[in-house]
Amino acid sequence: MADNATTSFADRALQDAPTDYAQLREWVAQVAELTQPDAVQWVDGSEEEYARLADELVAAGTLTRLAEDKFPNSFAAFSDPADVARVEDRTFICSEKEEDAGFTNNWMDPEKMHGILDDAFAGSMRGRTMYVIPFVMGHLDAEDPKYGVELTDSAYVVLSMRIMARIGQDVLDKMSREQAFYVPAVHSVGAPLEPGQEDVPWPCNSTKWIVHFPEERSIWSFGSGYGGNALLGKKCYALRIASVMARDEAWLAEHMLILKLTSPEGRSYHITGAFPSACGKTNLALIDPTIEGWKAETLGDDITWIRAGKDGEFRVINPETGYFGVAPGTGWSTNPNAMRAITKGNSIFTNVALTDDGGVWWEGMTDEVPEHLTDWRGNDWTPASETPAAHPNSRFCTPIEQTDMLADEYHDPKGVKLDAILFGGRRKTTIPLVTESFDWEDGILKAATLSSETTAAAAGAVGVVRRDPMAMLPFLGYDAGDYLAHWVEESGKADPEKLPRIYLVNWFRRNRDGGFAWPGFGENSRVLKWVVERLEGRADAVETPIGHVPSPEALDLTGIDVPAEDLEDALKVDAEEWAKENELIEEWLGRFGESLPAMVRERFEAQKERFARA
Ligand code: GDP
Ligand code: PGA
Ligand code: MN
């Protein structure tokens, strides 16, 4: 062991480096020189390492170990109350040209931003350990593995990354052998410790920078420990940077769940669903169908990479290995598959409430509300309390392999053939429960003009309707119009006969009394059944100006009691609502400028004409 006082940060970073990959060693050394950590640890991804880091975090007060009989090998973390969600106004796409970031992104000149980051990161890891996490998004034995290395001063990030992605020594070995390209991703909580200074359980900084350099394919994240800002393999890499890689390498990186659905006749279909954050991806991915004979299996709940296969079809994989799911609303009655996976253990909960017997609880987990809890801020909580026990964006982080209903094909690097895509959002009005687009191009229009009310998944106002193209608004690594054009181009390569069908869905429409018009959750299997029957040319639909909507009889409602008025409210295409909607879409499309594909504009004109004729 070299003496810390006399060795340089770079020497310290490399003294135990388990790789001879020169370029990687050089970069790690450089970042160590900049951030000046007390120690550098190369993460091997082993269970022993996980246990040791977890023990350290328990001792530091960051993690609370849960009762072994209820949540084995599981922990709860409580963040700083100001660090609970993604921070979209602090998220930047720093492309060389501003126009390449497009109107939906924050942009800054890369050189200027590097200057700012150099200042922010200078000495930012002082008093802490810098962990080196080699990871791969997707399969390590994929044809073209997508590597990354995250440098972080948060052990919570190391533990969470081990759940969410394939990490560790075998990844490092293969990456080093191939001298492969990796996405360099640097994360610091931005809270250096002076000698003798006591740490806090959740260090972070009131200034946050979540920055992507698309041309360099690099990520720099400063000041936040929250998942979406700090687990850099997830949204930062697998969506923002990957969307740019995908543009350049002819594939698609999308914010989608993947579901395998098998009909009573034994025919299987693969359906993806793109919904904005906290709008139902994880729940649909883990659906427990309520209709007889239908089987659902999952492949993924958040991110999907799509490639045109050799035989002219779209194939999809999930690049992740875990769930980072919204806890509130995930319960034994709404999502038993998620609950079974979670309670097997090996999970990290963030900002949930603690029960008196060492378990966790959140709103909606059980029908019965506990008499007493410790809320996410550490205060006593009873059912009479006026604030929620768990933060609305509290999360569970759980290995996907703990899912009983995991599809075998999850393990196949070649992925599965895609049959249908659902685009959805959270809309109280206007958008019917399900609409089949007229054709592929009309489907692209629907996706390009997708909208949703904002949620607690991002900092800022909740419940405001905003356009969210393909549910990718906060995750696009480049210009939104160019992104739509890329979709058009990629689909042009697929066999038109094999293109997936596109549906618009809305589980959140309100009825005339203000309640949900549709029961949702497991009952969404009835909508999926209609979708599959449409694929097979068997289900009835009513043609409306926006596409085909189920006739009330076409939805299988066996065994549930949905009032006729609710069904009507869920399915109606209301001319007045759509007059307003079309105005909002007009305004939205106007913001794209030159880069909007002409086809999208044309298909919108056609939609307006259909309303004028109706
Ligand atoms: P994700 O962030 O897109 O994965 O969304 P989740 O599946 O975690 O769901 C976010 C929130 O929406 C949770 O509070 C769920 O309970 C709620 N939710 C999900 N599906 C439905 C549904 O079908 N109906 C209703 N009413 N709420 C839902
Ligand atoms: P989600 O993603 O909200 O889409 O589940 C996690 C996050 O980035 O907060
Ligand atoms: Mn989710």
Side-chain angles (χ1 to χ4, degrees):
M1 271 287 175
D3 177 358
N4 276 3
T6 56
T7 41
S8 71
F9 291 102
D11 289 344
R12 235 182 280 168
L14 296 177
Q15 66 195 7
D16 298 319
T19 175
D20 57 7
Y21 186 0
Q23 192 273 342
L24 171 61
R25 292 168 59 97
E26 198 178 308
W27 173 67
V28 173
Q30 258 171 26
V31 176
E33 285 291 337
L34 174 66
T35 58
Q36 306 175 7
D38 263 11
V40 176
Q41 263 182 45
W42 292 71
V43 172
D44 64 19
S46 67
E47 234 167 273
E48 297 70 40
E49 176 186 73
Y50 186 92
R52 179 172 49 77
L53 291 177
D55 284 345
E56 285 175 21
L57 286 174
V58 170
T62 307
L63 293 184
T64 302
R65 187 182 292 277
L66 301 179
E68 197 62 24
D69 56 331
K70 286 189 212 66
F71 297 93
N73 190 31
S74 295
F75 303 89
F78 302 94
S79 80
D80 184 295
D83 193 24
V84 294
R86 284 183 290 100
V87 281
E88 296 182 0
D89 61 335
R90 305 298 304 166
T91 301
F92 289 79
I93 302 294
C94 296
S95 42
E96 294 292 333
K97 291 196 223 136
E98 182 169 8
E99 68 203 58
D100 287 339
F103 75 97
T104 63
N105 283 310
N106 301 312
W107 178 86
M108 201 188 285
D109 173 69
E111 220 179 281
K112 185 171 168 209
M113 181 61 91
H114 272 306
I116 291 174
L117 292 173
D118 280 348
D119 287 346
F121 279 87
S124 76
M125 297 190 187
R126 244 182 273 135
R128 303 188 181 280
T129 297
M130 179 172 93
Y131 301 93
V132 183
I133 317 173
F135 66 94
V136 63
M137 299 312 293
H139 294 264
L140 188 53
D141 52 358
E143 236 169 72
D144 176 19
K146 295 301 186 203
Y147 295 108
V149 177
E150 177 163 355
L151 307 183
T152 177
D153 55 8
S154 161
Y156 165 89
V157 165
V158 178
L159 300 188
S160 306
M161 278 292 285
R162 184 172 180 267
I163 295 172
M164 297 306 299
R166 296 166 177 91
I167 72 165
Q169 192 61 43
D170 55 339
V171 177
L172 180 62
D173 288 344
K174 187 153 189 266
M175 185 194 302
S176 301
R177 230 174 14 250
E178 293 165 359
Q179 307 270 296
F181 174 78
Y182 60 90
V183 167
V186 186
H187 169 251
S188 172
V189 294
L193 291 168
E194 298 312 322
Q197 187 185 341
E198 209 182 312
D199 203 359
V200 294
W202 187 278
C204 60
N205 193 304
S206 54
T207 300
K208 296 177 173 47
W209 294 103
I210 318 297
V211 184
H212 310 71
F213 297 94
E215 284 97 356
E216 290 172 17
R217 311 267 199 259
S218 69
I219 304 164
W220 290 78
S221 166
F222 179 87
S224 170
Y226 170 75
N229 303 325
L231 311 180
L232 301 186
K234 194 174 179 56
K235 306 287 187 180
C236 297
Y237 183 159
L239 289 178
R240 296 198 192 95
I241 293 294
S243 67
V244 178
M245 293 176 153
R247 176 197 62 193
D248 296 346
E249 299 168 7
W251 48 284
L252 298 161
E254 299 300 325
H255 192 203
M256 292 175 176
L257 66 102
I258 314 174
L259 185 68
K260 175 182 176 184
L261 204 64
T262 306
S263 71
E265 297 79 25
R267 285 189 290 271
S268 293
Y269 296 89
H270 299 105
I271 298 175
T272 60
F275 314 154
S277 295
C279 291
K281 288 181 302 299
T282 303
N283 274 274
L284 190 66
L286 293 169
I287 191 170
D288 196 11
T290 50
I291 41 176
E292 193 111 348
W294 288 75
K295 183 176 177 191
E297 293 162 274
T298 197
L299 283 93
D301 80 315
D302 197 46
I303 298 180
T304 295
W305 286 355
I306 308 178
R307 274 171 206 273
K310 288 186 191 69
D311 28 16
E313 59 196 20
F314 276 0
R315 297 195 74 83
V316 292
I317 64 131
N318 169 14
E320 300 191 284
T321 60
Y323 303 115
F324 183 65
V326 178
T330 306
W332 288 104
S333 58
T334 54
N335 195 342
N337 286 316
M339 291 307 296
R340 271 193 290 275
I342 292 167
T343 49
K344 279 183 195 168
N346 311 308
S347 296
I348 299 172
F349 301 91
T350 304
N351 291 340
V352 301
L354 291 176
T355 61
D356 294 345
D357 57 357
V360 290
W361 194 83
W362 49 77
E363 278 70 20
M365 179 179 180
T366 52
D367 293 337
E368 208 175 311
V369 178
E371 285 301 309
H372 179 262
L373 295 164
T374 305
D375 76 7
W376 72 279
R377 294 168 186 265
N379 299 323
D380 281 320
W381 187 95
T382 70
S385 298
E386 271 162 19
T387 49
H391 186 276
N393 192 38
S394 56
R395 300 278 173 155
F396 59 86
C397 183
T398 297
I400 197 171
E401 297 220 28
Q402 291 180 190
T403 324
D404 294 332
M405 51 150 351
L406 188 66
D408 282 343
E409 294 85 347
Y410 163 81
H411 300 283
D412 185 352
K414 293 201 171 50
V416 294
K417 171 180 178 284
L418 178 56
D419 297 298
I421 308 176
L422 313 181
F423 287 99
R426 186 183 279 270
R427 289 292 305 269
K428 292 192 174 75
T429 67
T430 318
I431 311 297
L433 178 62
V434 56
T435 310
E436 183 182 67
S437 55
F438 287 110
D439 54 30
W440 176 262
E441 291 191 347
D442 180 54
I444 300 271
L445 169 69
K446 291 194 161 48
T449 58
L450 190 69
S451 60
S452 192
E453 290 144 20
T454 50
T455 67
V462 167
V464 182
V465 174
R466 67 175 188 184
R467 298 293 131 186
D468 191 337
M470 275 85 167
M472 282 286 280
L473 181 71
F475 308 119
L476 288 173
Y478 62 106
D479 175 75
D482 292 347
Y483 166 75
L484 296 181
H486 181 57
W487 262 82
V488 174
E489 193 183 328
E490 282 313 296
S491 51
K493 291 179 195 157
D495 179 342
E497 294 293 306
K498 290 180 181 163
L499 276 175
R501 274 225 219 146
I502 297 180
Y503 296 80
L504 187 62
V505 299
N506 179 17
W507 314 143
F508 300 92
R509 201 172 189 186
R510 299 308 173 106
N511 63 17
R512 53 199 82 181
D513 306 321
F516 287 111
W518 175 252
F521 300 102
E523 308 299 357
N524 293 334
S525 56
R526 299 166 193 276
V527 174
L528 297 174
K529 177 182 174 186
W530 182 80
V531 164
V532 164
E533 288 178 349
R534 289 294 295 174
L535 296 177
E536 295 181 341
R538 301 195 282 136
D540 281 342
V542 181
E543 187 175 329
T544 78
I546 55 165
H548 292 96
V549 174
S551 52
E553 313 74 52
L555 278 181
D556 181 350
L557 299 179
T558 322
I560 48 164
D561 195 18
V562 182
E565 304 86 60
D566 277 9
L567 200 59
E568 194 189 309
D569 292 345
L571 292 173
K572 74 177 173 202
V573 177
D574 184 285
E576 255 172 62
E577 287 178 341
W578 273 94
K580 280 195 214 120
E581 189 73 9
N582 280 334
E583 267 174 41
L584 294 174
I585 293 176
E586 183 88 61
E587 200 183 300
W588 165 246
L589 294 182
R591 298 183 62 193
F592 281 76
E594 298 282 282
S595 66
L596 184 74
M599 178 280 278
V600 175
R601 166 63 64 187
E602 282 157 24
R603 296 308 299 247
F604 177 52
E605 294 305 322
Q607 174 164 307
K608 283 191 295 184
E609 259 166 52
R610 286 193 301 273
F611 275 106
R613 269 188 276 118

Short mmCIF file of all heavy atoms in Angstrom, two decimals, residues 242-262:
data_model
loop_
_atom_site.label_atom_id
_atom_site.label_comp_id
_atom_site.label_asym_id
_atom_site.label_seq_id
_atom_site.Cartn_x
_atom_site.Cartn_y
_atom_site.Cartn_z
N ALA A 242 -27.92 7.10 -25.35
CA ALA A 242 -28.24 6.00 -26.29
C ALA A 242 -29.11 6.49 -27.44
O ALA A 242 -29.00 5.98 -28.56
CB ALA A 242 -28.93 4.85 -25.55
N SER A 243 -29.96 7.49 -27.21
CA SER A 243 -30.79 7.97 -28.33
C SER A 243 -29.89 8.55 -29.42
O SER A 243 -30.18 8.41 -30.61
CB SER A 243 -31.83 8.98 -27.85
OG SER A 243 -31.22 10.17 -27.39
N VAL A 244 -28.80 9.18 -29.01
CA VAL A 244 -27.87 9.75 -29.99
C VAL A 244 -27.08 8.62 -30.69
O VAL A 244 -26.89 8.63 -31.91
CB VAL A 244 -26.90 10.73 -29.30
CG1 VAL A 244 -25.90 11.29 -30.29
CG2 VAL A 244 -27.68 11.86 -28.64
N MET A 245 -26.61 7.65 -29.89
CA MET A 245 -25.94 6.49 -30.51
C MET A 245 -26.88 5.84 -31.51
O MET A 245 -26.48 5.44 -32.60
CB MET A 245 -25.62 5.44 -29.43
CG MET A 245 -24.58 5.86 -28.43
SD MET A 245 -24.46 4.52 -27.21
CE MET A 245 -22.78 4.76 -26.66
N ALA A 246 -28.14 5.71 -31.10
CA ALA A 246 -29.13 5.02 -31.93
C ALA A 246 -29.36 5.78 -33.23
O ALA A 246 -29.50 5.18 -34.30
CB ALA A 246 -30.44 4.87 -31.15
N ARG A 247 -29.37 7.11 -33.13
CA ARG A 247 -29.52 7.91 -34.36
C ARG A 247 -28.36 7.63 -35.31
O ARG A 247 -28.54 7.43 -36.50
CB ARG A 247 -29.54 9.40 -34.00
CG ARG A 247 -29.59 10.35 -35.19
CD ARG A 247 -29.18 11.76 -34.80
NE ARG A 247 -27.80 11.80 -34.32
CZ ARG A 247 -27.26 12.84 -33.69
NH1 ARG A 247 -27.99 13.91 -33.43
NH2 ARG A 247 -25.99 12.82 -33.30
N ASP A 248 -27.15 7.55 -34.75
CA ASP A 248 -25.97 7.38 -35.59
C ASP A 248 -25.77 5.94 -36.05
O ASP A 248 -25.09 5.70 -37.03
CB ASP A 248 -24.72 7.85 -34.82
CG ASP A 248 -24.78 9.34 -34.50
OD1 ASP A 248 -25.63 10.03 -35.11
OD2 ASP A 248 -24.00 9.81 -33.66
N GLU A 249 -26.34 4.99 -35.30
CA GLU A 249 -26.08 3.57 -35.61
C GLU A 249 -27.33 2.85 -36.09
O GLU A 249 -27.36 1.63 -36.17
CB GLU A 249 -25.55 2.86 -34.34
CG GLU A 249 -24.25 3.42 -33.81
CD GLU A 249 -23.91 2.88 -32.41
OE1 GLU A 249 -24.62 1.97 -31.92
OE2 GLU A 249 -22.94 3.37 -31.82
N ALA A 250 -28.39 3.60 -36.38
CA ALA A 250 -29.61 3.03 -36.97
C ALA A 250 -30.35 2.08 -36.03
O ALA A 250 -30.60 0.93 -36.35
CB ALA A 250 -29.30 2.33 -38.30
N TRP A 251 -30.69 2.56 -34.81
CA TRP A 251 -31.62 1.84 -33.96
C TRP A 251 -32.41 2.86 -33.15
O TRP A 251 -32.36 4.05 -33.46
CB TRP A 251 -30.93 0.77 -33.10
CG TRP A 251 -29.69 1.17 -32.35
CD1 TRP A 251 -28.44 1.34 -32.89
CD2 TRP A 251 -29.56 1.44 -30.94
NE1 TRP A 251 -27.54 1.69 -31.88
CE2 TRP A 251 -28.20 1.75 -30.68
CE3 TRP A 251 -30.44 1.43 -29.88
CZ2 TRP A 251 -27.73 2.07 -29.40
CZ3 TRP A 251 -29.98 1.73 -28.60
CH2 TRP A 251 -28.63 2.04 -28.37
N LEU A 252 -33.15 2.43 -32.16
CA LEU A 252 -33.97 3.35 -31.38
C LEU A 252 -33.81 3.05 -29.89
O LEU A 252 -33.83 1.88 -29.50
CB LEU A 252 -35.46 3.20 -31.74
CG LEU A 252 -35.87 3.52 -33.18
CD1 LEU A 252 -37.23 2.90 -33.50
CD2 LEU A 252 -35.94 5.03 -33.40
N ALA A 253 -33.64 4.08 -29.08
CA ALA A 253 -33.58 3.92 -27.62
C ALA A 253 -34.83 4.58 -27.06
O ALA A 253 -35.02 5.79 -27.22
CB ALA A 253 -32.33 4.59 -27.06
N GLU A 254 -35.68 3.80 -26.41
CA GLU A 254 -37.01 4.30 -26.08
C GLU A 254 -37.39 4.09 -24.61
O GLU A 254 -36.90 3.17 -23.96
CB GLU A 254 -38.05 3.63 -26.98
CG GLU A 254 -37.83 3.92 -28.46
CD GLU A 254 -37.89 5.40 -28.80
OE1 GLU A 254 -38.68 6.14 -28.17
OE2 GLU A 254 -37.13 5.84 -29.68
N HIS A 255 -38.32 4.93 -24.16
CA HIS A 255 -38.80 4.90 -22.77
C HIS A 255 -40.02 3.99 -22.69
O HIS A 255 -41.15 4.45 -22.61
CB HIS A 255 -39.17 6.35 -22.39
CG HIS A 255 -39.41 6.57 -20.94
ND1 HIS A 255 -40.17 7.61 -20.47
CD2 HIS A 255 -38.98 5.92 -19.84
CE1 HIS A 255 -40.21 7.59 -19.15
NE2 HIS A 255 -39.50 6.56 -18.74
N MET A 256 -39.78 2.68 -22.78
CA MET A 256 -40.88 1.73 -22.93
C MET A 256 -40.72 0.50 -22.05
O MET A 256 -39.62 0.02 -21.82
CB MET A 256 -40.92 1.21 -24.37
CG MET A 256 -41.29 2.23 -25.42
SD MET A 256 -41.16 1.48 -27.06
CE MET A 256 -41.77 2.82 -28.08
N LEU A 257 -41.85 -0.05 -21.64
CA LEU A 257 -41.90 -1.37 -21.02
C LEU A 257 -42.03 -2.42 -22.13
O LEU A 257 -42.39 -2.09 -23.26
CB LEU A 257 -43.13 -1.46 -20.11
CG LEU A 257 -44.48 -1.40 -20.84
CD1 LEU A 257 -45.11 -2.76 -20.99
CD2 LEU A 257 -45.40 -0.42 -20.19
N ILE A 258 -41.73 -3.67 -21.81
CA ILE A 258 -41.93 -4.76 -22.77
C ILE A 258 -42.73 -5.87 -22.09
O ILE A 258 -42.34 -6.38 -21.04
CB ILE A 258 -40.61 -5.38 -23.26
CG1 ILE A 258 -39.59 -4.31 -23.65
CG2 ILE A 258 -40.87 -6.33 -24.44
CD1 ILE A 258 -38.21 -4.87 -24.01
N LEU A 259 -43.83 -6.25 -22.73
CA LEU A 259 -44.72 -7.26 -22.17
C LEU A 259 -44.94 -8.36 -23.20
O LEU A 259 -45.14 -8.09 -24.38
CB LEU A 259 -46.05 -6.57 -21.85
CG LEU A 259 -47.13 -7.39 -21.16
CD1 LEU A 259 -46.72 -7.72 -19.73
CD2 LEU A 259 -48.44 -6.59 -21.14
N LYS A 260 -44.88 -9.61 -22.72
CA LYS A 260 -45.24 -10.74 -23.58
C LYS A 260 -46.62 -11.22 -23.15
O LYS A 260 -46.86 -11.49 -21.97
CB LYS A 260 -44.22 -11.87 -23.41
CG LYS A 260 -44.58 -13.14 -24.17
CD LYS A 260 -43.54 -14.23 -23.91
CE LYS A 260 -43.94 -15.54 -24.57
NZ LYS A 260 -42.98 -16.62 -24.23
N LEU A 261 -47.51 -11.33 -24.13
CA LEU A 261 -48.89 -11.68 -23.82
C LEU A 261 -49.26 -12.93 -24.60
O LEU A 261 -49.04 -12.99 -25.81
CB LEU A 261 -49.78 -10.50 -24.24
CG LEU A 261 -51.12 -10.38 -23.54
CD1 LEU A 261 -50.94 -10.12 -22.06
CD2 LEU A 261 -51.91 -9.25 -24.19
N THR A 262 -49.80 -13.93 -23.91
CA THR A 262 -50.18 -15.17 -24.59
C THR A 262 -51.68 -15.37 -24.45
O THR A 262 -52.23 -15.32 -23.34
CB THR A 262 -49.40 -16.36 -24.01
OG1 THR A 262 -48.00 -16.06 -24.08
CG2 THR A 262 -49.67 -17.64 -24.81
#
